[in-house]
Amino acid sequence: MEDVKLTKLSKCAGCGAKVGAGVLSKLLADLPVLRDENLLVGFDKSDDAAVYRMNSEQAIVQTIDFFPPIADDPYLFGQIAATNALSDVYAMGGEPKLALNVMCVPEHMPKETVHQILRGGYEKCAEAGAIICGGHSIFDEEPKYGLSVTGFVHPDHFWKNCGAKPGDILFLTKPIGIGVLTTAQKADLLTAETTDWILQLMTTLNRGARDVFVRYAVHACTDVTGFSLMGHLLEMCNGSDVSAEIHVGAIDLIPEALDFARMGVLPEGMYRNRTFAEAFVEAGETELAVCDLLFDPQTSGGLLCAVDPADADAVWNALQGKVPSAQRIGTIVPRREKAIYLK
């Protein structure tokens, strides 16, 4: 076990292991939903987390997220998984406070490896101001790690992934291409410098983005993870009954990821995302490899926010230096035949 790389122990890496959005919607169809006037967001809304009102001033935000290794270093794997789970709370405009470990490990995995995964999660939660106070673990042939996270938000001032309005400006806070690069990494095609850079990107909390956006009029928000930029934007558009015009040249596509996409180095999750969302996207003259990146599953991606146009310039200025990549990528428009139009 000491000689085996963590990423070699699993078939998929990170959020690329997610069940496709199309399959997931079928699995959740017709499940009974318990009605409660205080449940402000439930699983029937395809949102990032649940929101439950405790009183007129406070609501809890609840989420869970875990996945197989996306890094060989167990400490970094723990950090990435924790960063990704915490992001769901930030995407609702909340502040994470409590967390529980969710862990699956091979029976003969060295104790020090398990300890390093957990340490990565604990330290990232500490950075976020959240406390890990327990959890659950089982034996499994493929290692997996993540968190169930509880946060707090005002019941009248949280974000959903629907509610975008025509005229809203779309902002994105991390570059696109992580899924392609982690696929290349599993094949030992990345340089050490690129590997270090994407690990840093995936361990960067979305707290900085959240702290900027809460100061302005945000009509809809989601984090961009396994369903890809197109998949998550499609959910926002469909939930808001609007369409979006996206300026592809304004999206920060990681150049090395684009090179690999042109070579055909693509994660399996990209094909699932394309199958689900492609029919709702008018790609126009957009290059195929660029489209591939737009359907690329991201792990611990940035926030995608629809912001009132009156606040757009202020948000743009405020994001500078606070997020890995401040991008103003498009505009929400009235509903058309397609949900997304690439320009």
Side-chain angles (χ1 to χ4, degrees):
M1 286 293 298
E2 285 85 346
D3 298 328
V4 177
K5 294 182 177 180
L6 285 181
T7 55
K8 304 298 184 184
L9 296 176
S10 60
K11 297 178 181 178
C12 299
C15 285
K18 288 180 71 170
V19 174
V23 174
L24 185 60
S25 64
K26 294 178 182 178
L27 293 174
L28 296 176
D30 300 325
L31 288 179
V33 179
L34 179 63
R35 301 299 175 183
D36 185 325
E37 64 180 11
N38 290 311
L39 182 63
L40 306 180
V41 179
F43 78 86
D44 55 321
K45 303 300 183 183
S46 300
D47 221 314
D48 294 295
V51 179
Y52 190 88
R53 178 172 49 215
M54 303 298 293
N55 52 55
S56 61
E57 297 295 323
Q58 192 173 66
I60 60 171
V61 184
Q62 184 69 51
T63 187
I64 184 170
D65 207 311
F66 65 101
F67 49 58
I70 194 165
D72 289 318
D73 183 303
Y75 173 76
L76 287 172
F77 168 43
Q79 287 214 315
I80 295 167
T83 302
N84 187 73
L86 292 162
S87 182
D88 285 344
V89 175
Y90 291 131
M92 308 298 288
E95 296 184 69
K97 289 299 178 185
L98 297 174
L100 297 171
N101 287 312
V102 180
M103 174 172 263
C104 304
V105 294
E107 190 169 359
H108 301 295
M109 178 173 280
K111 292 181 180 179
E112 179 59 23
T113 301
V114 177
H115 176 77
Q116 289 301 315
I117 294 171
L118 293 171
R119 186 170 73 88
Y122 273 78
E123 292 190 5
K124 188 53 63 173
C125 280
E127 180 184 338
I131 304 167
I132 295 181
C133 48
H136 187 68
S137 60
I138 64 171
F139 290 129
D140 192 357
E141 292 183 2
E142 292 190 5
K144 302 170 188 70
Y145 176 67
L147 300 172
S148 171
V149 186
T150 301
F152 296 98
V153 72
H154 195 286
D156 298 328
H157 302 290
F158 66 91
W159 307 326
K160 296 186 287 186
N161 68 353
C162 59
K165 302 177 181 180
D168 283 352
I169 306 301
L170 289 167
F171 289 90
L172 182 62
T173 64
K174 284 187 181 182
I176 296 294
I178 288 295
V180 168
L181 291 181
T182 53
T183 298
Q185 181 186 21
K186 290 191 72 170
D188 297 321
L189 297 176
L190 291 190
T191 64
E193 291 76 14
T194 299
T195 299
D196 290 343
W197 179 74
I198 63 171
L199 291 173
Q200 180 180 0
L201 186 64
M202 290 187 289
T203 56
T204 299
L205 294 171
N206 279 325
R207 181 174 59 183
R210 180 263 179 200
D211 290 349
V212 168
F213 287 127
V214 292
R215 293 151 43 193
Y216 301 98
V218 170
H219 294 150
C221 184
T222 184
D223 61 344
V224 177
T225 55
F227 295 157
S228 77
L229 175 58
M230 291 295 95
H232 288 287
L233 178 57
L234 175 61
E235 288 186 334
M236 182 182 290
C237 288
N238 285 346
S240 307
D241 194 27
V242 297
S243 293
E245 291 184 350
I246 299 300
H247 304 292
V248 177
I251 300 174
D252 185 5
L253 301 177
I254 302 171
E256 193 168 353
L258 184 56
D259 291 340
F260 280 118
R262 287 170 174 154
M263 295 165 54
V265 179
L266 299 166
E268 182 180 349
M270 189 283 297
Y271 297 100
R272 290 196 299 268
N273 292 334
R274 184 187 289 278
T275 298
F276 169 68
E278 186 176 34
F280 302 93
V281 179
E282 176 54 63
E285 300 299 317
T286 307
E287 180 189 352
L288 177 60
V290 171
C291 284
D292 288 339
L293 289 190
L294 300 183
F295 290 105
D296 181 39
Q298 306 301 287
T299 296
S300 191
L303 296 188
L304 174 66
C305 273
V307 176
D308 190 292
D311 286 340
D313 289 341
V315 168
W316 174 251
N317 292 329
L319 286 174
Q320 305 304 314
K322 298 296 195 328
V323 298
S325 177
Q327 303 156 67
R328 184 170 174 163
I329 67 169
T331 306
I332 297 295
V333 297
R335 187 70 183 193
R336 301 177 184 169
E337 181 181 356
K338 300 281 188 176
I340 301 168
Y341 292 82
L342 303 182
K343 303 293 185 178

